[in-house]
């Protein structure tokens, strides 16, 4: 019968109290076996039969094999006793009972292990108690940190370890309680605006509480070896009207402390054009300054510097990087680079930057005034001066005649004439592009040569006083002839003095006088060679005349034309050129 079964058969009653206590002890021991089995099984397995027992007397056996098999007589008397190894289970194993007198005293050794086994049970109980205590402590700490921040928690630079959300909020509020902001500006000493002056106070955003809610209380131990830093919005409230008043009261906002910015400009310095940079000035843009300060206060900044924030001030409207200013600089530099050399025969005159720069207008500070109309007028004036100097149309010339006389002849139709409008347009373009060139001006009319006598050495000389004409080509006389000019008895028939050129020539033609009311003409005279040069006046043959030259023109002259003998008219017709000046003089 097993011990367990024996216990069931023990009758109850006062006399059996000792047995009941023994049963209770066994039950307790069985329960502790279950708790400590994992801790003791391994130790038991290793030590049960190998550990030296100092409490037992030395029996002379060296090993278990010696103990069981050394004496042959033992094997003959009884069967070898098998001592089972303890299993890993916490449930007690069945016990085999054998006659004690059949077992060698050596076999009593295992019963001494019971004391050690009981010690292990006690150690297991203690370990369990420690584990339970530790679990209780861990649970208590988890409960503690359910509404508090872990150790090592920093919020906005404040150590919030062990604080509740409310306590952390209070710490953040204390941080801004004495808030002030220093305001720096251009050319002024910094000034301070305190929180009291703008009714500054802290407002919770709920972010701190949200951080606490995101904690997992059972991870509280992490706080002892892992620091966490958080940043939450420090929302504040303040009176914006009071802040505006503080901005207006700043020294940098006072009119007497402000200077307006100056625009960048182009100036002529050191013989070249260059950009003078803009100046910043200290004129505060109060609206923008308030906006900048408002943002800084809202972000709880401790300082703000208007001087490093260009939009806080009124800025120059024209900066040194302004595209139009760069174009103006390029144009001005082109002005100084431009060089136009005009040629008038052997004479020359040059227009360059030294003259052109004087056409540009600058204010008292040397700033270029871009006035295109004024500049174009300077160009027109310059071209007009060229025309006045070098045009010969309408000017009087000194002329040495074939007869040896010196006469003065002027002309409104022959000579050099600059096309002033066309020349001004070309010159303006060349100046703006910085052109360097040598050329003649644009002419509307040209003469044979330049100089005092622009007649050159190819011309037709008509001496009205001597009634004789000469044709010179390259200085050589190639034709001459007597003629009859306009009748001096009639003012409207006199041949005009002056310098002319051939309009055209036609052969044959009919010369007609003024048209009368009845549709007929004063005269109609057919000619073989017609060469007009002064309105209705020209060279032509006059076969009706028998004589030429002398004084005929005084009383019996023509209507103004130069009458030639027919043969001479034919020769002149064959050689006359359109560009040859015709010089008529008395």
């Amino acid at each position: 019968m097993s011990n367990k079964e024996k216990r069931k058969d023990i009758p109850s009653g006062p006399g059996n109290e000792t047995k009941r206590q023994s049963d209770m002890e066994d039950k307790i021991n069985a329960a502790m076996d279950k708790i400590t089995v994992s801790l003791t099984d391994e130790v038991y397995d290793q030590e049960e039969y190998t550990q030296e027992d100092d409490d037992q007397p030395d029996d002379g056996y060296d090993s278990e094999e010696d103990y069981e098999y050394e004496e042959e007589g033992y094997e003959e008397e009884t069967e070898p006793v098998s001592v089972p190894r303890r299993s890993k289970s916490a449930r007690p194993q069945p016990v085999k009972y054998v006659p004690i007198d059949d077992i060698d005293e050596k076999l009593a050794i295992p019963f001494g292990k019971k004391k050690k086994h009981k010690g292990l049970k006690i150690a297991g109980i203690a370990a369990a108690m420690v584990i339970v205590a530790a679990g209780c402590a861990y649970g208590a700490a988890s409960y503690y940190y359910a509404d508090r921040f872990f150790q090592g928690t920093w919020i906005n630079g404040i150590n919030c370890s062990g604080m509740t959300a409310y306590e952390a909020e209070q710490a953040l509020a204390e941080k801004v309680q004495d808030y002030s902001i220093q305001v720096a500006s251009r050319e002024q000493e910094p000034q301070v605006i305190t929180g009291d002056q703008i009714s500054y106070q802290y407002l919770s955003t709920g972010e701190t509480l949200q951080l606490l809610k995101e904690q997992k209380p059972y991870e509280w131990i992490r706080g002892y070896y892992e620091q966490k830093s958080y940043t939450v919005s420090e929302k504040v409230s303040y009176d914006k009207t009071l802040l505006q008043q503080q901005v207006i009261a700043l020294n940098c906002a006072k009119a007497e402390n402000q200077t307006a910015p100056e625009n960048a400009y182009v100036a002529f310095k050191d013989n070249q054009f260059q950009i003078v940079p803009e100046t910043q000035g200290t004129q505060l843009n109060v609206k923008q300054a308030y906006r900048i300060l408002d943002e800084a206060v809202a972000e709880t900044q401790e300082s703000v510097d208007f001087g490093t924030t260009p939009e806080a001030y009124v800025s120059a409207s024209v900066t040194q990087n302004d595209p139009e200013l760069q174009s103006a600089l390029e144009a001005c530099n082109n002005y100084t680079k431009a060089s136009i050399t005009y040629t008038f025969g052997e004479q020359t005159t040059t227009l360059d930057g030294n003259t052109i720069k004087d056409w540009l207008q600058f204010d008292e500070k040397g700033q270029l005034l871009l006035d295109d109309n004024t500049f174009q007028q300077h160009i027109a004036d310059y071209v007009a001066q060229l025309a006045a100097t070098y045009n010969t149309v309408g000017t009087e010339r000194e002329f040495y005649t074939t007869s040896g006389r010196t006469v003065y002849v002027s002309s409104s139709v022959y000579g050099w004439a600059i096309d002033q409008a066309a020349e001004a347009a070309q010159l303006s373009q060349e100046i703006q592009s910085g052109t360097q060139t040598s050329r003649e001006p644009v002419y509307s009319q040209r003469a044979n040569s330049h100089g005092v006598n622009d007649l050159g050495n190819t011309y037709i000389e008509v001496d009205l006083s001597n009634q004789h004409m000469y044709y010179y080509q390259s200085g050589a006389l190639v034709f001459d002839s007597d003629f009859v000019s306009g009748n001096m008895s009639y003012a409207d028939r006199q041949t005009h003095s002056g310098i002319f050129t051939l309009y055209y020539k036609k052969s044959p033609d009919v010369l007609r006088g003024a048209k009368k009311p009845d549709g007929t003409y004063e005269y109609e005279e057919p000619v073989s060679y017609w060469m007009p040069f002064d309105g209705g006046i020209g060279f032509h043959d006059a076969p009706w005349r028998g004589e030429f030259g002398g004084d005929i023109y005084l009383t019996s002259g023509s209507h103004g034309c130069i009458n030639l003998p027919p043969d001479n008219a034919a020769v002149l017709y064959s050689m006359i050129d359109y560009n040859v000046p015709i010089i008529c003089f008395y």
Side-chain angles (χ1 to χ4, degrees), residues 414 448 458-460 471-472 500-502 577-582:
Y414 175 81
N448 281 352
T458 297
Y459 56 87
I460 295 174
Y471 191 167
Y472 292 92
F500 312 95
T501 56
L502 181 68
D577 191 8
Y578 289 101
N579 297 321
V580 175
I582 300 170

Side-chain angles (χ1 to χ4, degrees), residues 359-377:
W359 298 352
L360 305 175
Q361 292 185 334
F362 300 87
D363 61 17
E364 65 279 2
K365 295 182 179 179
Q367 181 173 348
L368 177 66
L369 300 177
L370 297 176
D371 185 349
D372 188 63
N373 291 333
T374 302
F375 186 74
Q376 293 299 328
Q377 186 59 51

Side-chain angles (χ1 to χ4, degrees), residues 505-507 528-531 568-576:
K505 56 184 180 178
K506 186 178 181 182
S507 176
S528 297
Y529 308 100
W530 171 234
M531 297 162 277
N568 292 350
V571 173
L572 179 63
Y573 188 90
S574 65
M575 66 174 56
I576 194 171

Side-chain angles (χ1 to χ4, degrees), residues 329-531:
L329 175 64
E330 183 179 353
C332 289
N333 283 330
N334 283 338
Y335 296 158
T336 59
K337 288 191 297 184
S339 178
I340 297 91
T341 299
Y342 290 99
T343 60
F344 303 92
E346 296 181 356
Q347 291 182 296
T348 61
T349 185
T350 300
L351 173 66
D352 58 21
N354 291 325
T355 300
I356 297 171
K357 69 178 179 58
D358 295 333
W359 298 352
L360 305 175
Q361 292 185 334
F362 300 87
D363 61 17
E364 65 279 2
K365 295 182 179 179
Q367 181 173 348
L368 177 66
L369 300 177
L370 297 176
D371 185 349
D372 188 63
N373 291 333
T374 302
F375 186 74
Q376 293 299 328
Q377 186 59 51
H378 279 292
I379 293 177
D381 292 343
Y382 180 79
V383 173
Q385 184 61 43
L386 288 179
T389 304
Y390 296 99
N391 279 3
T392 58
V393 173
T395 62
E396 188 177 68
R397 300 164 183 79
E398 186 179 66
F399 179 69
Y400 298 95
T401 68
T402 303
S403 63
R405 293 186 300 135
T406 298
V407 296
Y408 295 89
V409 185
S410 61
S411 173
S412 60
V413 296
Y414 175 81
W416 297 103
I418 295 175
D419 187 335
Q420 296 187 40
E423 175 57 34
Q426 181 171 336
L427 179 58
S428 176
Q429 182 179 3
E430 290 173 342
I431 290 175
Q432 293 178 25
S433 60
T435 300
Q436 298 180 356
T437 186
S438 178
R439 63 177 178 83
E440 285 188 330
V442 180
Y443 287 111
S444 61
Q445 183 174 307
R446 304 177 67 88
N448 281 352
S449 65
H450 291 282
V452 176
N453 183 359
D454 61 354
L455 300 173
N457 53 13
T458 297
Y459 56 87
I460 295 174
E461 178 182 339
V462 180
D463 188 343
L464 297 173
S465 295
N466 292 323
Q467 295 287 287
H468 198 85
M469 64 176 294
Y470 309 90
Y471 191 167
Y472 292 92
Q473 289 184 348
S474 300
L477 180 63
V478 295
F479 171 82
D480 72 295
S481 174
D482 287 335
F483 61 82
V484 175
S485 61
N487 193 331
M488 296 298 292
S489 299
Y490 301 94
D492 59 344
R493 295 184 181 182
Q494 296 176 7
T495 303
H496 304 144
S497 62
I499 303 174
F500 312 95
T501 56
L502 181 68
Y503 294 159
Y504 63 90
K505 56 184 180 178
K506 186 178 181 182
S507 176
D509 200 1
V510 176
L511 304 180
R512 296 182 175 87
K515 194 173 185 178
K516 295 187 290 186
D518 61 1
T520 60
Y521 296 92
E522 289 183 353
Y523 63 89
E524 288 185 302
E525 191 70 44
V527 296
S528 297
Y529 308 100
W530 171 234
M531 297 162 277

Side-chain angles (χ1 to χ4, degrees), residues 4 10 16 38 48 77 97 117 211 224 242 251 263 291 305 314 325 355 358 360 366 397 405 486 488 543:
K4 185 174 182 182
I10 297 173
N16 299 319
S38 62
E48 188 169 7
E77 292 180 10
Y97 294 91
H117 192 186
L211 285 176
Y224 288 91
L242 292 177
N251 290 334
N263 291 337
R291 182 185 61 78
D305 188 355
V314 176
L325 190 63
T355 300
D358 295 333
L360 305 175
R397 300 164 183 79
R405 293 186 300 135
M488 296 298 292

Side-chain angles (χ1 to χ4, degrees), residues 75-101:
E75 293 180 354
E76 293 175 354
E77 292 180 10
T78 180
E79 298 259 337
V81 178
S82 173
V83 180
R85 294 182 64 87
R86 188 175 183 86
S87 70
K88 296 291 183 179
S89 172
R91 183 182 296 279
Q93 299 295 321
V95 178
K96 280 188 176 183
Y97 294 91
V98 296
I100 196 166
D101 55 352

